[in-house]
Amino acid sequence: MERLPRKRIVGPSFAEDEDLKKVLKSYQSNKIRTTKYSFLSFLPKNLFEQLHRIANIYFIFLAALNFVPVVEAFQPEVSLVPIVLVLSVTAIKDVFEDFRRFHSDRLVNRQLCDLYSSAQKDYVDCCWKDVRVGDFVRLSCNEIIPADMVLLYSSDPRGVCYIETANLDGETNLKQRQVVSDLPLQDSQFSPENFHSRIECENPNNDLNRFRGFIEHASGVRVGLHSSNVLLRSCTIRNTETVIGIVVYAGHETKAMMNNSGPRYKRSLLERRLNRDILWCVALLIVMCLIAAVGHGLWLKNLKDPIFQVDGEMSPALAAFYVFWTMIIVLQVLIPISLYVSIEIVKLGQIYFIHNDLDMYNEEQDSRIQCRALNITEDLGQIQYVFSDKTGTLTENKMVFRRCSIFGVEYPHEENARRLAVYEEDPNRGASRTVTLKSACSRKSLTCRSLSCNRSSVSLHTLTAESGEEDQLSSHPQAKTAAFCSPMAKDVVPDPALEKKLNSLCSSLLHLSDGLFKTTSNLELTYITDFFLALTICNTVVVSSPGQPRHVVSGPVSSIHLILNQSRKLFIRGKKSYEETSRDPIWADQDSKEALKEAQISSDRFKGSMEDQDEDGSSGEDSEDELLYEAESPDEAALVHAARAYHCTLRARSPENLLVELPGIGSLPVRLLHVLPFDSNRKRMSVVVRHPLTGELVVYTKGADSVIMDLAERPKGRKELYSHIREQTQKHLDAYAREGLRTLCIAKKVLEEEEYDVWMKRQLLAESSIENREELLLESAQRLETNLTLLGSTGIVDRLQEEVPETIEALQRAGIKVWVLTGDKQETAINIANACKLLRSSDQLLTDACAALLNELIVEVQCGQEGVSEQREDPSSGSTGFILAIDGRTLDWALQEDLRSSFLELSRKCKAVLCCRSTPLQKSKVVQLVRDHLRVMTLAVGDGANDVSMIQVADVGIGISGQEGMQAVMSSDFAIPRFHHLRKLLLVHGHWCYHRLANMILYFFYKNVMYVNLLFWYQFFCGFSGSVMINSWVLILFNLLFTSVPPLIYGVLDQDTAADALEEHPELYQAARSSKVYVPSIFWITILDAFYQSCICFFIPYFALAGSDVDGLSFGSPINTSALFIILLHQVIESHTLTWIHALVLFLSAASYFAFVLLFSTFCIVCSHPTNLLGVEPRQLSTPLFYVISVFLLTPPLDICGLVFAVPVDGPPPEPLGSALQDFLPVSV
């Protein structure tokens, strides 16, 4: 073995090797720190981060510019107020968020574990933060793993440890880890002092499923290390009393920490448009300043005999240059500095109400929507394409055995179908008696009742946001159904014909004169037995019960030997019967009959001994009804439950043995030689066992039918029979797919001893390899899984989730195209499309899309669309639409450069697209292709790890907290419990969020432009000198304080249309998206409206006061007051929902303005040098003309405002007053 090119060396931390000690000290400690700031670094680091916003840099520049005397517009300290306030608010928010992270870090770092102390020669309590690489850590049942460790010892005599990875990936099924093989110190008295080996492994990385390295013993022998030997941080020890490991990665170098990227941040489409419009505002500002500068220069040049003091030595050009910068300071309000902060506040408010919407709370799972991306809520209202997974997203992913085919014979299981129909009518019936693997009285796993667990389990996530959420993932609803043991899955009703055939093994039911012998051949019985044996053992199911952590095989049952010899003879003769009696299926020889009788006697003795053991309480086995199966997938659980319904029961499991109960024979030990786990490349799994009846080496394989059918052999001697079995099985598979069932094929292969020995050597070499291990294991598995004998197939039903058809119909009516990307067969996908109303009877299905037919299909679709163009306005109508169904192989060439455009042209003309047999990579490529080339807003929704890539590629990623772990949820922007919640999330909350935010941004531009233009018009009457008729403090605080809160309330609470109307009329979503509330044309209309209102607001007071002796501040007072009322009432006109909250905020805004100006003008004598506001406002408020002007100014601007912004809204009006808030009051769920 060669050394790793980039490696990490680990040894005992108490070793005497000084070089090793230096290396270990160079690694990170286990202390985690997720905070962004420290006490000393906060100010410079936070300021540096905020300077990434160009607007902040702009206002800091203006504040500094105001300190230059020659361009000073007003008091220098006044110009500091806006930027200081904005930076302070953002800094306070950052401090609050960072403190929460600090509190979470402290809780994690102070957790205790047992650490070996070389000084005390024993294990001592130690905080997690003090653990370092090279330390030995001892853990007990239900304790959380503090760091990534290589497993060196387990109290289990087989060196096995079970862990739960819910805190890491959300999966609650138990996973098995193995002590390092060939470890010389594996005994009951493991002592770290005797460990003198050295570990060499790869550098830290974020791949949870890979670990490469080796352990080198003192003798020089190297043993490969792999992911099955590693315990990862934040996982929980289950079903194992004690484990000991040596730390290889600590702190931020652990895989859990390297995979935690925190909340997702994306730039929304609205934000990108906002940046563009701010640049337009900057351009407008420069134009206005240039006009003022040129005007001042011309004014100075033409000035004759001034009656006031003017700097005559300064040239008009230089004076114009100075005025340009002065006007930049005066008109700075044109750039909405508080807009970015306001948008963040509004989005937090929107997320708060989305998060607390009771309609998107799932009571069964006790879960609600999670908003993981904080800044793309408005994108939910602009979605044009939805890409959905099928299994677990549109369906329940609660697999239930439906029917099967064995030996080419189909068994419809009609009673089972009727049973499932009952569950369809009453879905709660299947969920009400869900068996859990958690103790109801304690957080401890019930599987550890018999173990001495010295610490209770506290599921502490690695990066918990707050202490109240520490057990969020561990208490995930999956924990309740991790074993997939609902009655719907367990209570399989056997098919009578198949049950009779299988019971041929039970001699008590078999009589020599029974007619069954005339219909059941020995070969068919062999197939049936192998089929159910494969269902029972070809899995990774962990067997447990409420009173025992797991059922293991402690050794062969002595009574079994009485049965095995007789059953083995019977089984072997059954295999040979086809050759001996090719035309007569009757068991021919008398020995078979005698063997059956002997087997019956032995079986009776076996049952009697087992009953005696049960009566004595020494059996150790639980009753059949109390067995719990903990499977890694619902498919596995469904098949094991199906086999159990036919009395082929998996009783116990250990790494090397299985205990299987067969009908009429009893419990048999099955030697488990090797397991080839399922992977997405092979699409199958296999086990190598010693057959319990024949003693042969047998490989049992189950997997996707497309794979198994290709690997099935075509024997020469039995060509007709096997061809018949293959053809019939394929017909049954096609029929299952048309019914929407998930299909699997079961196969086997008998190995010769020499063949197995040769393969095993290569397999062990691949497993012990350090480089290219995955490739070698794949090659080894493929070498074994060839020339398989096809046994049969299964059809598993996966019900649609509730309200899926209604949700898809609503999305289509909203103008959203729905694509289904699935790995299932085309027939299955088409059936599901029919069930969920994606494909209707009037639609035309396009299949067999190949390069030669692609152009023909495009022409066909175009002709079809022209014929029904007048009827296609409503997608839900009975008009003809086109649905494209494409498989994975065809998708490969469709994604090529030269065919992309044709594929897109065809798909965009279709109402929906079904991508079948697609891989995770193909899913992401399809989403990316549509997003980039069609330039549309895309949304991807899925529930499993295979959906992560497309969820991350889409503009909006939705994860469903289903049965396949939390990988999709942790990679998503939003997580929902069920697919039908997508309807309200998009049609209601998406619509509201977009409308609210878009209108709020436009309102900000309006009020800033309107107010700043009052100062611009004044320049025409003051020689463009940069003077203002409004006090500088009032000028700065007007947009920053007095008018800043109403748009926030609008952005959070406004409802342009009621929720019920938006759900009942999805077309409103498309209409709103098509109208484009925030587009360049609307932006410029808003700017023009602001110019118009500013003209009215300025020139009416000007003409009303013309010829009077009012000073500048007295002239500006009614203008400023009128502007305040116009801007606030403009907000009222645009609001669709008015509540007491709106009224209160509007009142407080106006009251705060009057309170400030009155107090300021009454008590502040030198606050506004060189102008003096003392007594101006009280005098103005006592003048009737002030009120006449203020009231008269409200009429013209608001009339035109109502005309410009009055937009008719279809559907019933929004709910009045506070009733609109009642649906969104926060609840404790």
Side-chain angles (χ1 to χ4, degrees):
M1 296 182 184
E2 298 181 359
R3 292 182 180 270
L4 296 174
R6 300 178 62 185
K7 63 181 182 301
R8 159 172 292 211
I9 298 176
V10 178
S13 58
F14 50 78
E16 298 180 357
D17 189 341
E18 294 297 329
D19 294 336
L20 179 60
K21 286 184 176 181
K22 291 180 180 179
V23 172
L24 295 179
K25 288 182 179 179
S26 66
Y27 301 142
Q28 289 192 17
S29 68
N30 202 43
K31 181 179 180 180
I32 64 168
R33 179 177 175 269
T34 61
T35 57
K36 296 169 62 176
Y37 314 108
S38 65
F39 181 78
L40 296 177
S41 67
F42 172 72
L43 282 178
K45 192 172 183 179
N46 186 264
L47 183 60
F48 175 76
E49 289 179 350
Q50 294 199 54
L51 291 181
H52 281 77
R53 284 183 171 171
I54 299 178
N56 290 342
I57 298 177
Y58 166 76
F59 280 95
I60 289 177
F61 168 73
L62 292 184
L65 188 64
N66 199 49
F67 279 87
V68 180
V70 71
V71 296
E72 177 185 7
F74 32 74
Q75 291 172 278
E77 60 271 16
V78 176
S79 63
L80 290 174
V81 172
I83 187 62
V84 169
L85 184 60
V86 170
L87 294 179
S88 299
V89 171
T90 306
I92 291 172
K93 178 181 71 72
D94 292 341
V95 166
F96 176 72
E97 292 179 352
D98 213 46
F99 178 77
R100 295 179 65 190
R101 287 190 286 264
F102 169 77
H103 180 67
S104 173
D105 293 345
R106 184 170 59 179
L107 288 175
V108 174
N109 289 328
R110 290 184 178 181
Q111 289 292 303
L112 296 178
C113 64
D114 289 341
L115 185 71
Y116 184 78
S117 172
S118 58
Q120 301 183 25
K121 306 296 183 182
D122 199 1
Y123 290 91
V124 297
D125 284 343
C126 176
C127 291
W128 280 21
K129 64 180 180 179
D130 298 323
V131 175
R132 299 196 63 90
V133 175
D135 288 342
F136 290 86
V137 177
R138 182 178 65 185
L139 299 170
S140 302
C141 178
N142 288 334
E143 287 190 325
I144 299 176
I145 303 168
D148 293 353
M149 310 186 305
V150 172
L151 182 60
L152 301 178
Y153 169 78
S154 171
S155 57
D156 189 291
R158 302 170 313 281
V160 172
C161 168
Y162 291 92
I163 63 172
E164 182 183 273
T165 60
N167 287 346
L168 195 61
D169 57 16
E171 296 184 5
T172 55
N173 55 283
L174 298 185
K175 296 180 175 60
Q176 184 176 295
R177 295 295 181 263
Q178 186 76 37
V179 171
V180 178
S181 60
D182 299 330
L183 193 64
L185 300 178
Q186 179 62 31
D187 54 37
S188 58
Q189 300 297 328
F190 177 85
S191 174
E193 294 287 347
N194 298 327
F195 184 83
H196 303 293
S197 303
R198 180 176 58 87
I199 295 174
E200 189 171 313
C201 59
E202 60 187 354
N203 282 331
N205 59 76
N206 62 355
D207 192 341
L208 296 174
N209 301 314
R210 191 189 76 177
F211 179 79
R212 294 178 178 176
F214 60 85
I215 180 170
E216 185 174 2
H217 301 305
S219 60
V221 177
R222 293 182 178 178
V223 178
L225 298 176
H226 314 294
S227 58
S228 60
N229 306 126
V230 179
L231 305 179
L232 298 182
R233 178 191 174 103
S234 77
C235 297
T236 307
I237 303 296
R238 300 290 190 198
N239 298 355
T240 310
E241 187 172 2
T242 305
V243 298
I244 298 175
I246 183 172
V247 177
V248 291
Y249 304 129
H252 289 276
E253 293 181 336
T254 58
K255 293 181 181 292
M257 293 296 297
M258 297 186 76
N259 271 277
N260 197 309
S261 57
R264 295 168 54 81
Y265 291 92
K266 291 182 177 179
R267 289 184 61 199
S268 67
L269 180 62
L270 198 64
E271 186 178 347
R272 294 194 292 268
R273 293 174 179 171
L274 170 63
N275 293 334
R276 177 199 62 196
D277 290 337
I278 285 184
L279 293 178
W280 280 116
C281 286
V282 172
L284 183 62
L285 174 65
I286 294 175
V287 170
M288 295 170 69
C289 293
L290 286 174
I291 293 175
V294 173
H296 184 68
L298 294 176
W299 181 78
L300 281 179
K301 183 177 180 181
N302 299 323
L303 184 62
K304 306 294 184 180
D305 301 324
I307 60 175
F308 41 82
Q309 184 180 358
V310 176
D311 189 358
E313 298 181 358
M314 184 180 298
S315 65
L318 182 59
F321 175 76
Y322 287 151
V323 166
F324 174 83
W325 294 108
T326 301
M327 290 302 297
I328 288 286
I329 299 173
V330 171
L331 304 181
Q332 62 177 293
V333 184
L334 183 63
I335 309 299
I337 183 176
S338 60
L339 179 56
Y340 287 104
V341 177
S342 300
I343 288 175
E344 289 186 5
I345 295 174
V346 166
K347 288 183 177 181
L348 288 176
Q350 292 175 347
I351 288 173
Y352 173 79
F353 285 111
I354 293 175
H355 187 66
N356 289 282
D357 188 348
L358 284 175
D359 290 339
M360 290 192 287
Y361 167 69
N362 184 268
E363 186 175 359
E364 180 183 348
Q365 296 181 346
D366 189 23
S367 62
R368 55 184 172 181
I369 185 172
Q370 302 175 37
C371 302
R372 299 175 54 83
L374 306 180
N375 54 346
I376 60 171
T377 53
E378 66 273 22
D379 280 347
L380 294 172
Q382 294 291 290
I383 300 301
Q384 296 167 272
Y385 279 77
V386 168
F387 299 89
S388 174
D389 178 41
K390 182 188 77 68
T391 305
T393 303
L394 301 179
T395 63
E396 293 277 5
N397 199 19
K398 294 180 180 178
M399 310 301 179
V400 181
F401 180 83
R402 172 63 183 82
R403 59 202 305 176
C404 66
S405 169
I406 310 173
F407 197 67
V409 179
E410 207 273 328
Y411 301 97
H413 291 73
E414 295 177 355
E415 288 294 331
N416 198 41
R418 284 190 281 270
R419 176 185 69 92
L420 295 179
V422 174
Y423 283 114
E424 289 283 354
E425 296 174 0
D426 185 11
N428 295 327
R429 179 176 178 181
S432 59
R433 294 176 52 239
T434 299
V435 180
T436 68
L437 289 183
K438 298 289 183 182
S439 172
C441 59
S442 172
R443 284 299 305 271
K444 291 184 179 182
S445 171
L446 58 85
T447 55
C448 291
R449 285 185 183 176
S450 60
L451 303 178
S452 57
C453 301
N454 57 6
R455 287 193 180 97
S456 63
S457 173
V458 180
S459 298
L460 184 63
H461 193 260
T462 309
L463 283 177
T464 309
E466 55 184 330
S467 59
E469 299 176 359
E470 287 170 3
D471 57 349
Q472 179 179 356
L473 282 180
S474 284
S475 61
H476 188 268
Q478 277 195 39
K480 298 181 180 180
T481 57
F484 308 108
C485 291
S486 67
M488 185 174 63
K490 291 172 59 178
D491 302 337
V492 177
V493 180
D495 186 270
L498 179 58
E499 190 174 25
K500 286 183 181 180
K501 294 180 181 179
L502 186 62
N503 284 338
S504 300
L505 284 176
C506 183
S507 55
S508 61
L509 300 178
L510 189 62
H511 300 283
L512 300 181
S513 60
D514 199 328
L516 181 65
F517 277 86
K518 299 180 181 180
T519 58
T520 305
S521 69
N522 293 355
L523 185 61
E524 183 179 1
L525 183 60
T526 302
Y527 267 68
I528 294 174
T529 306
D530 278 326
F531 179 85
F532 283 103
L533 191 59
L535 296 188
T536 306
I537 66 178
C538 190
N539 52 63
T540 57
V541 170
V542 177
V543 188
S544 61
S545 64
Q548 189 175 350
R550 62 187 179 278
H551 292 196
V552 298
V553 185
S554 57
V557 184
S558 57
S559 303
I560 293 176
H561 291 292
L562 299 175
I563 306 174
L564 286 182
N565 291 332
Q566 306 301 332
S567 300
R568 187 170 295 140
K569 294 178 182 178
L570 176 63
F571 201 83
I572 294 176
R573 285 173 181 154
K575 292 178 58 180
K576 297 179 180 179
S577 64
Y578 177 81
E579 296 176 352
E580 296 174 356
T581 58
S582 57
R583 295 185 180 179
D584 185 5
I586 301 176
W587 290 4
D589 56 65
Q590 186 67 24
D591 292 340
S592 298
K593 302 175 183 178
E594 295 176 356
L596 289 174
K597 293 180 180 180
E598 294 177 7
Q600 167 64 29
I601 298 173
S602 301
S603 177
D604 292 340
R605 292 176 181 173
F606 173 79
K607 291 180 179 178
S609 64
M610 293 299 293
E611 291 173 357
D612 294 338
Q613 290 179 1
D614 290 339
E615 292 175 0
D616 297 338
S618 59
S619 172
E621 294 182 4
D622 297 279
S623 65
E624 185 173 338
D625 292 337
E626 294 180 345
L627 285 178
L628 300 180
Y629 293 138
E630 184 143 5
E632 291 189 5
S633 69
D635 298 77
E636 282 193 347
L639 295 180
V640 174
H641 287 306
R644 186 179 176 186
Y646 286 92
H647 308 291
C648 296
T649 305
L650 178 62
R651 282 286 181 183
R653 171 183 292 276
S654 68
E656 297 179 353
N657 292 282
L658 302 168
L659 189 62
V660 179
E661 181 177 316
L662 296 179
I665 297 179
S667 298
L668 299 176
V670 179
R671 178 69 173 171
L672 182 61
L673 300 177
H674 219 90
V675 177
L676 299 178
F678 176 88
D679 64 64
S680 57
N681 293 322
R682 291 166 42 244
K683 295 183 180 180
R684 59 188 180 273
M685 79 161 293
S686 299
V687 294
V688 184
V689 299
R690 180 74 66 176
H691 199 287
L693 299 179
T694 65
E696 296 174 319
L697 289 172
V698 181
V699 180
Y700 287 109
T701 302
K702 70 175 181 182
D705 55 285
S706 59
V707 175
I708 301 298
M709 296 297 282
D710 291 339
L711 297 175
E713 65 175 346
R714 300 176 182 271
K716 297 180 180 179
R718 303 177 180 178
K719 185 175 181 181
E720 294 181 1
L721 173 64
Y722 279 97
S723 296
H724 174 76
I725 294 175
R726 185 186 181 93
E727 292 174 2
Q728 292 300 314
T729 303
Q730 186 62 57
K731 289 181 180 179
H732 300 153
L733 287 171
D734 295 339
Y736 294 168
R738 286 191 293 271
E739 290 184 22
L741 303 181
R742 289 172 59 89
T743 56
L744 286 174
C745 281
I746 313 298
K748 78 166 190 176
K749 176 182 180 180
V750 179
L751 295 175
E752 299 294 336
E753 296 287 344
E754 297 79 6
E755 182 183 3
Y756 174 72
D757 291 340
V758 172
W759 176 85
M760 192 60 187
K761 290 179 181 179
R762 295 180 177 177
Q763 177 70 12
L764 292 176
L765 182 62
E767 291 179 352
S768 61
S769 176
I770 298 174
E771 298 294 333
N772 301 322
R773 181 174 184 265
E774 289 77 11
E775 292 79 2
L776 292 175
L777 287 175
L778 177 62
E779 181 183 351
S780 178
Q782 291 174 340
R783 187 181 298 110
L784 181 69
E785 297 165 333
T786 57
N787 297 324
L788 302 177
T789 300
L790 181 63
L791 298 176
S793 62
T794 61
I796 299 175
V797 64
D798 186 10
R799 299 187 306 165
L800 278 180
Q801 293 184 17
E802 68 276 11
E803 299 183 32
V804 166
E806 294 81 1
T807 301
I808 291 182
E809 181 182 8
L811 294 178
Q812 289 183 325
R813 289 173 58 190
I816 299 174
K817 289 193 174 182
V818 180
W819 290 28
V820 176
L821 313 178
T822 177
D824 285 336
K825 294 183 65 175
Q826 189 176 89
E827 294 83 359
T828 305
I830 292 173
N831 180 273
I832 294 296
N834 275 299
C836 64
K837 296 185 179 179
L838 188 63
L839 175 61
R840 297 174 179 272
S841 58
S842 58
D843 293 330
Q844 183 174 347
L845 184 65
L846 304 178
T847 57
D848 301 326
C850 59
L853 298 177
L854 193 57
N855 293 329
E856 296 181 9
L857 291 176
I858 294 175
V859 174
E860 179 182 352
V861 172
Q862 288 176 339
C863 295
Q865 286 181 334
E866 292 174 359
V868 295
S869 58
E870 298 181 356
Q871 305 176 6
R872 291 300 301 276
E873 295 180 1
D874 184 8
S876 63
S877 64
S879 58
T880 302
F882 293 91
I883 308 295
L884 175 63
I886 185 171
D887 60 19
R889 294 179 180 178
T890 309
L891 197 59
D892 276 335
W893 61 257
L895 294 175
Q896 297 175 4
E897 289 289 342
D898 54 338
L899 296 174
R900 284 182 179 179
S901 58
S902 299
F903 171 66
L904 283 175
E905 184 180 357
L906 174 62
S907 59
R908 70 185 301 180
K909 295 178 183 297
C910 294
K911 189 173 71 172
V913 177
L914 307 176
C915 296
C916 316
R917 296 295 191 191
S918 52
T919 64
L921 181 60
Q922 286 177 329
K923 290 182 179 182
S924 63
K925 286 184 176 180
V926 169
V927 176
Q928 186 175 11
L929 177 67
V930 174
R931 184 199 66 188
D932 295 341
H933 287 72
L934 299 184
R935 298 187 180 277
V936 293
M937 290 293 294
T938 58
L939 180 147
V941 54
D943 74 315
N946 59 331
D947 304 316
V948 169
S949 56
M950 76 169 181
I951 286 175
Q952 292 178 334
V953 167
D955 294 296
V956 179
I958 306 288
I960 292 183
S961 48
Q963 303 287 322
E964 296 186 14
M966 295 286 286
Q967 296 96 325
V969 169
M970 291 189 293
S971 302
S972 65
D973 303 311
F974 300 88
I976 55 179
R978 310 289 282 178
F979 181 81
H980 71 86
H981 294 143
L982 189 64
R983 178 179 182 178
K984 187 169 187 180
L985 181 63
L986 295 185
L987 303 186
V988 178
H989 289 290
H991 176 90
W992 281 347
C993 289
Y994 176 72
H995 266 262
R996 291 165 175 170
L997 209 56
N999 286 317
M1000 189 199 76
I1001 291 174
L1002 291 173
Y1003 178 76
F1004 258 91
F1005 283 123
Y1006 152 77
K1007 73 184 185 72
N1008 282 36
V1009 173
M1010 185 270 188
Y1011 190 69
V1012 83
N1013 269 283
L1014 299 176
L1015 308 177
F1016 180 69
W1017 302 132
Y1018 185 69
Q1019 302 307 309
F1020 287 89
F1021 304 95
C1022 67
F1024 298 97
S1025 61
S1027 301
V1028 293
M1029 72 292 192
I1030 302 172
N1031 178 265
S1032 57
W1033 283 98
V1034 177
L1035 176 66
I1036 292 297
L1037 296 178
F1038 188 89
N1039 280 301
L1040 203 62
L1041 183 61
F1042 303 140
T1043 60
S1044 61
V1045 179
L1048 300 183
I1049 300 300
Y1050 173 89
V1052 175
L1053 299 181
D1054 190 64
Q1055 298 179 10
D1056 64 318
T1057 311
D1060 293 340
L1062 289 172
E1063 289 197 81
E1064 292 174 4
H1065 305 283
E1067 295 81 7
L1068 294 175
Y1069 183 90
Q1070 182 180 12
R1073 191 188 65 213
S1074 302
S1075 64
K1076 299 294 184 183
V1077 178
Y1078 186 45
V1079 292
S1081 59
I1082 300 296
F1083 169 77
W1084 288 112
I1085 290 176
T1086 302
I1087 299 299
L1088 292 176
D1089 180 47
F1091 267 88
Y1092 160 77
Q1093 295 190 34
S1094 66
C1095 287
I1096 298 297
C1097 191
F1098 179 84
F1099 285 103
I1100 287 181
Y1102 174 78
F1103 291 114
L1105 297 174
S1108 65
D1109 59 351
V1110 296
D1111 64 313
L1113 293 179
S1114 298
F1115 171 65
S1117 179
I1119 294 178
N1120 204 55
T1121 304
S1122 301
L1124 174 70
F1125 282 115
I1126 290 173
I1127 289 174
L1128 293 180
L1129 291 178
H1130 184 101
Q1131 178 79 83
V1132 174
I1133 291 176
E1134 288 197 357
S1135 297
H1136 301 83
T1137 303
L1138 293 177
T1139 68
W1140 63 267
I1141 299 178
H1142 292 79
L1144 179 62
V1145 169
L1146 291 171
F1147 172 78
L1148 291 178
S1149 296
S1152 64
Y1153 167 76
F1154 284 106
F1156 178 82
V1157 296
L1158 284 174
L1159 292 175
F1160 195 82
S1161 62
T1162 302
F1163 298 104
C1164 195
I1165 300 176
V1166 294
C1167 295
S1168 55
H1169 179 78
T1171 59
N1172 191 349
L1173 189 64
L1174 185 64
V1176 172
E1177 292 298 334
R1179 188 179 64 180
Q1180 287 293 312
L1181 291 176
S1182 63
T1183 305
L1185 185 60
F1186 172 85
Y1187 296 100
V1188 173
I1189 294 175
S1190 299
V1191 174
F1192 182 75
L1193 283 177
L1194 298 179
T1195 306
L1198 296 183
D1199 285 344
I1200 190 68
C1201 173
L1203 292 174
V1204 172
F1205 289 94
V1207 179
V1209 179
D1210 296 332
E1215 300 175 10
L1217 301 178
S1219 61
L1221 294 175
Q1222 293 179 359
D1223 293 339
F1224 302 102
L1225 292 178
V1227 293
S1228 177
V1229 291

